[in-house]
Amino acid sequence: MNQSKSESKITKVITVSGNERVTVLDLPAQKDLLLEMLENLSSETRFEDYVFVRKGFGHKKVKVVDVIYLEAQQNYCNLFMIDGTKLTVTMPMNEVYEYFNPRCFKRVHRSFVVNLEHVESYEGNMLVMDDSRIITIGRNYREQVAKEFVCIGSRKRVRNKKMPFGG
């Protein structure tokens, strides 16, 4: 039952929710293939904890978690930091956005990308950030942004819903 590397085949590839792929392997014959896939996966989804932003004649180290939001300003991009500083990058926001983790940073307006970790509150079409800045959610982004938050409680109540635990 020993298979050589040339005979090693993927048993099944399943696509789950868009880009995510789950591969079912016939182990242990495909151990090398599995290790290679895991290595490729970790290098594809790895995001840096910090970036270096040009400042003066050098570059300043910036922790990505300290970035509250990005704001487009024509061909420049402003990075607003948790300590209140603003850094300006001579690149369009679309290009800067590519360097940030898409699980934490979401585009909410054609001029804004926010770090979801720094959203203080969400009401209607507005986000209040940790620095008290109010960012309007663009019409084209509202539905997607609403999916990013788990909202508990509602003004509308379902009257005929069976309540758990005898309620």
Side-chain angles (χ1 to χ4, degrees):
M1 283 234 162
N2 285 341
Q3 291 181 340
S4 67
K5 278 189 180 180
S6 61
E7 296 173 347
S8 173
K9 294 180 183 175
I10 296 174
T11 307
K12 229 186 254 185
V13 176
I14 305 167
T15 303
V16 180
S17 69
N19 298 338
E20 296 178 24
R21 288 181 8 168
V22 176
T23 305
V24 180
L25 300 173
D26 180 19
L27 294 177
Q30 296 171 331
K31 184 174 107 179
D32 293 336
L33 180 60
L34 177 62
L35 292 173
E36 182 182 333
M37 288 174 63
L38 289 173
E39 186 175 311
N40 290 339
L41 179 64
S42 65
S43 66
E44 287 174 8
T45 58
R46 193 182 91 216
F47 296 97
E48 301 301 326
D49 294 334
Y50 56 88
V51 293
F52 283 88
V53 176
R54 182 138 179 99
K55 186 171 182 180
F57 294 105
H59 292 82
K60 177 181 172 57
K61 183 178 179 179
V62 173
K63 288 183 180 179
V64 172
V65 296
D66 290 344
V67 177
I68 300 175
Y69 59 94
L70 311 175
E71 181 180 22
Q73 186 178 11
Q74 296 175 345
N75 288 331
Y76 295 91
C77 179
N78 295 317
L79 282 73
F80 289 84
M81 308 301 296
I82 194 74
D83 64 2
T85 60
K86 176 179 91 170
L87 301 171
T88 301
V89 180
T90 56
M91 291 171 63
M93 186 179 72
N94 279 343
E95 291 179 30
V96 174
Y97 178 37
E98 292 175 10
Y99 293 98
F100 292 91
N101 187 335
R103 283 179 247 132
C104 296
F105 286 84
K106 298 293 180 185
R107 185 119 188 213
V108 298
H109 188 277
R110 73 176 199 181
S111 298
F112 291 100
V113 171
V114 300
N115 183 342
L116 296 176
E117 297 293 323
H118 291 290
V119 174
E120 188 69 30
S121 64
Y122 165 57
E123 184 176 332
N125 66 339
M126 294 183 295
L127 297 173
V128 178
M129 306 307 292
D130 282 346
D131 65 350
S132 300
R133 169 84 186 247
I134 296 173
I135 296 178
T136 302
I137 302 168
R139 188 178 320 131
N140 298 333
Y141 301 92
R142 288 181 190 160
E143 188 175 319
Q144 188 62 36
V145 170
K147 292 178 184 176
E148 295 297 329
F149 300 106
V150 175
C151 298
I152 299 173
S154 172
R155 292 183 346 167
K156 296 180 182 179
R157 304 205 190 266
V158 179
R159 295 179 186 257
N160 295 329
K161 184 177 178 182
K162 292 183 180 179
M163 300 300 271
F165 307 113

